[in-house]
């Protein structure tokens, strides 16, 4: 068993602590609802605390996997329990441990039935999500990838809105159909890798080191592409997303937008880019086109939404389009921007869903037309909403600006036209967010039902302030985060910019596969 | 002497079961009506002893009765699957037979005899022995299907099973006859040698004979288009027997089929893999598509078992050791998930073995949190979602197909998985997401049934998370 710099299985602890929590909560009698909430929250906070050493002990000078643990798992095929993080996955792990307790805190009032089951579900989901980001064995990765579908499926289906069953079935089947194709690709990768190197391995780090020859990359790339594109979701695979978001309970939306969608973008970074470098270059332009369509499509559709939550859901399509654009621009600043955009989207969209949840809890409606003039009634709420709105439309000084600016710069360096074109996308996102803000918060109070609306309570402050801190931290001093991902991204791009050439078409032996490292221009 | 004691060693597990079956036959005569459960306990002991003998002789490799019977790891692995299934089915039967007022010794005795036949089927390379075993086990199955003899559906199911089964057997025996005519033997090793040197014309006749034999096996494993009895029989047979039938005879028939294709038909592998490719695809797709419209849990499990037979055929079509081993592992995994799901069907069933409509599961997850959670596990397992045994099993089956470059077969297989997720998850929807049950539904409050449900659920998860040793055992069991 390999051990890491801490000589302690910290990643396993972080990942499975919530699972332990789920077992403990399962033992509590369901009548003690408050106890269940406190215990769950305590476990999630504890999980965040134990994940902090990952940040402080992370060595930013190496691209190698850190905090590695490796135990044989299924011996007959050589699958391992192999986990670790690098500068790319580190922040997604931390985002997960950071966001889930806040999401759970938002449910204390909102979830009033089957409280115990809900809290168990949220704990199980935490384990599933973390598992995806730390797995370095592709079989293990796939297991976690599918496992986390189950709690989300239950969360939307049990605690969701009126159309919850349709929404959750669509969510599950759509994602499942995409991921089973990825399963075949994982199997094929396993056997093809053996054919060319003589080694059976499901070790992702090894698979990244020796990509398959050009002609075999196409189908595998496409299978992974479909699975991840559905998850992101990229236009035109996004149709499950608005349904899932609108029907999901607030915490479900927060985790869906904040973390689950990042699995798609993360998957691209882990599989498609390093393992299929030739196809990455070949398909970059196509994916960029889809990403740009997504940016504009999401923004346009968001403009006409009467429902705040649906508006935020469509804005996700747009924001993740930026992330995909930055990634496939294949420049250092673009990929870093893409990762920043993932984190930022988790923070600002997560916060916006929480904010929508707050007002929904009080008024049981999310229609923009039902509101108006809330700024005078609930000033603190309006202020929070303003800040996260600005962060979502990427105003300088907020986190959104950093990510979006880097993505634009990356796209500009790739080809000027994309940078210029997409810069206009910012105008549209400002349009839909600010129009919505104006209609909800400004003018006079037109709807008498809103008159007695109470402002935010302490619990709500408690889960929004941490998010606020990061809006400005990332917005003002992003180096804290960027410095840790730089080396890993550099290494990733080195892998992407190496293209394989088969020198003799007759033979398919590994010795015939040459690796040509193309120097960056 | 024709037979020596050495020969008898190879059939010790079968002899033990036969002994217990005869014991039940005798003791049953003196048992008063209220003490009939003793029969069940005796049957249970028989299964346990037979199981123990299989375990102690697990690594034995011998042949007996002039090579008519073999005992190897494959036959022992299949025996383990069958005996575990029988054990669970007997436990599920205790309270069931009392409720139905059919607590008769014959039930257990016929069950034991049919397991003997299955064990024989799994441990022979001789086609004629296979035929006798198939016939013997089928007779047991016909009787058990119609065991609730005052229930019309049950009798109808048994008749349908019997008529179609006899029809399939005639094909089987015709195919065997053709092989005998071609190569002068019904031993698969001889047939293999004959086929290797056979002329093209003989090979074509052998392919025809292969098809006839496959009709017989296809009927037993419920492969399309020989599946039509499955839903009716599963829906109408006593629930513990539906559960038993969905696993044990299949385990035997799959191993026999494996021996038949891998050993006997080795020289014409290129031909039969093409035929099985088509049959595997048709079986999976048919089972999953028709299951989408089912309203009754037992009938749904019937169609789902057709689909699962299709998945296992994928492993055979792959025609490599990984594929054959995966079929064995899948049978082992399938045992727990399917028995668990049938036990839930029994749990919600009413007197006369009715009331297994899916609609009766409404709100079930809240009324019975543990059993509901177990059912949720079974459904995700049958759909092939991790961390369950069903996922690992499917992963290996499709892996084997990919290894043999049957990419489209694997893709069609996983798409089928996605289709099946719809109807399995629909049950979860009914249990958890459609509100509470309006009318009062009494459940079958039997402690053994509840124990079966919970234990199989734990097994399904355990095998799903720590599959390593089970997989190695299954992969190592195949040595032909």
């Amino acid at each position: 068993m390999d051990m890491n710099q801490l000589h302690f299985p910290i990643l396993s602890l972080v990942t499975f602590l919530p699972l332990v929590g789920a077992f403990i909560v399962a033992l509590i009698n369901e009548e003690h609802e408050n106890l269940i909430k406190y215990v769950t929250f305590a476990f999630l906070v504890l999980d965040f605390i134990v994940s902090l050493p990952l940040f402080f002990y992370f060595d930013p000078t190496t691209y190698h996997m850190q905090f590695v643990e490796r135990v044989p798992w299924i011996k007959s095929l050589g699958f391992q329990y192999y986990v670790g993080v690098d500068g790319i996955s580190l922040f997604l792990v931390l985002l997960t441990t950071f966001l889930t307790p806040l999401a759970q805190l938002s449910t204390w009032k909102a979830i009033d039935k089957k409280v115990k089951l809900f809290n168990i579900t949220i704990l199980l989901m935490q384990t599933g999500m973390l598992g995806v980001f730390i797995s370095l064995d592709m079989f293990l990765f796939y297991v976690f990838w599918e496992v986390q579908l189950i709690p989300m499926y239950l969360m939307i289906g049990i605690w969701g809105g009126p159309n919850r069953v349709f929404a959750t079935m669509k969510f599950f089947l759509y994602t499942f159909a995409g991921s089973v194709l990825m399963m075949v690709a994982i199997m094929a990768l396993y056997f093809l890798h053996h054919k060319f190197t003589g080694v059976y391995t499901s070790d992702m780090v090894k698979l990244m080191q020796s990509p398959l020859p050009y002609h075999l990359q196409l189908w595998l790339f496409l299978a992974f592409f479909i699975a991840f594109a559905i998850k992101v979701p990229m236009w035109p695979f996004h149709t499950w997303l608005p349904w899932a978001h609108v029907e999901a309970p607030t915490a479900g939306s927060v985790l869906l937008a904040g973390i689950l969608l990042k699995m798609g973008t993360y998957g691209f970074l882990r599989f498609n880019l390093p393992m299929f470098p030739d196809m990455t270059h070949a398909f970059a332009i196509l994916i960029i086109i889809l990403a740009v369509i997504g940016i504009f499509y999401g923004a346009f559709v968001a403009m006409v939404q009467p429902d705040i939550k649906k508006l935020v859901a469509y804005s996700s399509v747009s924001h993740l389009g930026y992330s995909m654009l930055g990634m496939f621009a294949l420049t250092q600043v673009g990929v870093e921007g893409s990762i920043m955009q993932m984190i930022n989207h988790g923070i600002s969209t997560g916060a916006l869903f929480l904010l929508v949840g707050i007002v929904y809890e009080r008024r049981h409606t999310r229609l923009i037309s039902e509101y108006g003039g809330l700024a005078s009634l609930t000033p603190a709420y309006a202020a929070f909403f303003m800040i996260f709105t600005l962060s979502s439309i990427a105003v300088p000084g907020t986190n959104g600006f950093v990510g979006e600016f880097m993505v634009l710069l990356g796209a500009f360096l790739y080809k000027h036209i994309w940078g210029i074109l997409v810069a206009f996308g910012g105008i549209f996102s400002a349009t839909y967010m600010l129009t919505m803000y104006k209609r909800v918060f400004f003018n006079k109070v037109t709807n008498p039902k809103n008159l007695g609306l109470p402002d935010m309570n302490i619990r709500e402050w408690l889960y929004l302030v941490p998010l606020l801190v990061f809006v400005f931290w990332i917005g003002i001093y992003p180096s804290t985060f960027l410095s840790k991902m730089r080396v890993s991204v550099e290494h990733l791009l080195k892998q992407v910019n190496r293209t394989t050439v088969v020198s003799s078409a007759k033979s398919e032996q590994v010795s015939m596969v040459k690796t040509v490292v193309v120097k960056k221009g | 002497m024709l037979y020596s004691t050495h020969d008898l060693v190879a059939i010790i597990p079968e002899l033990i079961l036969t002994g217990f079956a005869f014991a039940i036959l005798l003791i049953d005569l003196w048992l008063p009506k209220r003490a009939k459960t003793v029969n069940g306990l005796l049957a249970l002991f028989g299964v346990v002893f037979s199981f123990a003998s299989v375990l102690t002789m697990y690594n034995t490799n011998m042949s007996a009765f002039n090579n008519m019977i073999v005992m190897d790891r494959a036959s022992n692995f299949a025996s383990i699957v069958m005996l575990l299934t029988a054990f669970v089915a007997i436990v599920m039967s205790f309270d069931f037979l009392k409720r139905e007022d059919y607590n008769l010794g014959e039930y257990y005795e016929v069950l034991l005899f049919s397991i003997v036949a299955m064990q024989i089927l799994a441990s022979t390379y001789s086609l004629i022995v296979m035929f006798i075993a198939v016939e013997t086990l089928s007779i047991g199955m016909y009787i058990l299907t119609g065991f609730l003899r005052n229930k019309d559906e049950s009798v109808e199911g048994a008749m349908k099973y019997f008529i179609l089964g006899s029809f399939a057997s005639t094909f089987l025996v015709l195919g065997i006859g053709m092989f005998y005519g071609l190569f002068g033997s019904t031993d698969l090793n001889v047939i293999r040698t004959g086929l290797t040197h056979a002329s093209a014309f003989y090979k074509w006749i052998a392919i025809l004979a292969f098809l006839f034999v496959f009709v017989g096996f296809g009927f037993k494993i419920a492969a399309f288009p020989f599946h039509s009895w499955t839903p009716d029989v599963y829906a109408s047979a006593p629930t513990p027997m539906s559960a038993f039938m969905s696993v044990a005879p299949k385990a035997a028939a799959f191993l026999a089929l494996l021996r038949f294709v891998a050993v006997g038909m080795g020289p014409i592998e290129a031909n039969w893999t093409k035929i099985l490719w088509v049959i595997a695809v048709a079986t999976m797709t048919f089972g999953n598509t028709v299951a989408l419209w089912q309203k009754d849990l037992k009938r749904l499990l019937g169609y789902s078992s057709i689909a699962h037979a299709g998945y296992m055929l994928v492993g055979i079509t792959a025609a490599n050791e990984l594929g054959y081993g995966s079929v064995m592992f899948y049978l082992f995994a399938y045992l727990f998930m399917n028995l668990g799901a049938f036990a839930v069907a029994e749990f919600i069933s009413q007197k006369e073995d009715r009331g297994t409509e899916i609609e009766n599961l409404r709100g079930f997850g809240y009324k019975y949190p543990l059993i509901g959670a177990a059912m949720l596990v079974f459904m995700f397992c049958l759909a092939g979602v991790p961390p369950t045994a069903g996922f690992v099993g499917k992963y290996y089956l499709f892996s084997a197909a990919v290894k043999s470059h049957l990419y489209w077969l694997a893709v069609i297989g996983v798409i089928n998985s996605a289709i099946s997720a719809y109807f399995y998850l629909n049950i979860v929807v009914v249990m958890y997401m459609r509100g509470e049950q309006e009318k009062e539904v009494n459940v079958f409050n039997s402690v053994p049934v509840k124990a079966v449900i919970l234990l199989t659920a734990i097994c399904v998860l355990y095998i799903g998370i720590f599959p390593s040793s089970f997989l190695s055992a299954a992969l190592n069991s195949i040595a032909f």
Side-chain angles (χ1 to χ4, degrees), chain A residues 73-75 153 157-158 164, chain B residues 366 395-396 425 433 465 468:
Chain A
W73 182 25
I74 301 178
K75 294 188 186 94
Y153 164 78
I158 298 178
R164 59 185 185 274
Chain B
Y366 303 118
Y395 189 92
Y396 271 64
L425 263 61
M433 304 173 191
I465 298 169
S468 190

Side-chain angles (χ1 to χ4, degrees), chain A residues 153-210:
Chain A
Y153 164 78
L154 294 176
M155 193 175 279
I156 300 174
I158 298 178
W159 295 276
N163 282 320
R164 59 185 185 274
V165 173
F166 175 79
T168 200
M169 279 304 238
K170 183 160 185 175
F171 158 75
F172 190 95
L173 293 177
Y174 215 132
T175 336
F176 190 64
S179 38
V180 289
L181 290 177
M182 174 167 82
M183 178 164 95
V184 178
I186 286 178
M187 295 164 181
L189 189 56
Y190 177 83
F191 290 112
L192 289 173
H193 185 263
H194 168 257
K195 195 171 158 195
F196 287 94
T197 62
V199 187
Y200 280 119
T201 182
S202 55
D203 179 334
M204 281 153 64
V205 179
K206 278 198 190 125
L207 290 166
M208 287 176 205
Q209 281 160 2
S210 47

Side-chain angles (χ1 to χ4, degrees), chain A residues 176-312:
Chain A
F176 190 64
S179 38
V180 289
L181 290 177
M182 174 167 82
M183 178 164 95
V184 178
I186 286 178
M187 295 164 181
L189 189 56
Y190 177 83
F191 290 112
L192 289 173
H193 185 263
H194 168 257
K195 195 171 158 195
F196 287 94
T197 62
V199 187
Y200 280 119
T201 182
S202 55
D203 179 334
M204 281 153 64
V205 179
K206 278 198 190 125
L207 290 166
M208 287 176 205
Q209 281 160 2
S210 47
L212 293 170
Y214 188 87
H215 63 285
L216 291 173
Q217 288 180 17
L218 174 66
W219 290 103
L220 295 180
F221 181 91
L222 284 179
F224 281 107
F225 169 77
I226 287 176
F228 297 140
I230 289 174
K231 198 80 179 180
V232 169
M234 290 186 74
W235 186 88
F237 303 104
H238 66 281
T239 57
W240 62 271
L241 183 82
W243 279 99
H245 268 313
V246 169
E247 298 301 325
T250 301
S253 295
V254 173
L255 295 180
L256 189 61
I259 298 157
L260 262 65
L261 304 189
K262 307 303 165 340
M263 290 177 186
T265 42
Y266 172 73
F268 277 109
L269 287 173
R270 265 287 177 272
F271 285 89
N272 288 51
L273 266 63
M275 291 186 198
F276 315 109
D278 301 282
M279 287 303 126
T280 301
H281 285 287
F283 277 90
I285 184 69
L286 180 74
I287 292 174
I288 285 176
I289 290 171
L290 290 183
V292 172
I293 294 176
I295 291 172
F296 285 99
Y297 173 87
F300 286 138
V301 180
M303 277 185 208
V304 296
Q305 294 306 317
D307 179 317
I308 310 176
K309 206 172 180 190
K310 219 165 181 173
L311 183 147
V312 180

Side-chain angles (χ1 to χ4, degrees), chain A residues 73-77 114 139 142-143 146-147 150 153 157-158 164-165 169 172-173 180 183 186-188 191, chain B residues 366 380 385-387 391 395-396 398-399 402-403 414 417-418 422 425-426 428-429 433 436 465 467-468 471 475:
Chain A
W73 182 25
I74 301 178
K75 294 188 186 94
S76 46
L77 284 193
K114 330 280 185 217
F139 183 79
Y142 186 77
V143 167
E146 297 250 291
V147 160
I150 303 174
Y153 164 78
I158 298 178
R164 59 185 185 274
V165 173
M169 279 304 238
F172 190 95
L173 293 177
V180 289
M183 178 164 95
I186 286 178
M187 295 164 181
F191 290 112
Chain B
Y366 303 118
F380 278 108
V385 180
F391 164 70
Y395 189 92
Y396 271 64
F398 297 144
S399 259
V402 169
K403 192 179 184 186
V414 294
S417 265
Y422 179 80
L425 263 61
N426 185 39
V428 178
V429 166
M433 304 173 191
E436 306 285 329
I465 298 169
S468 190
L471 270 168
L475 292 175

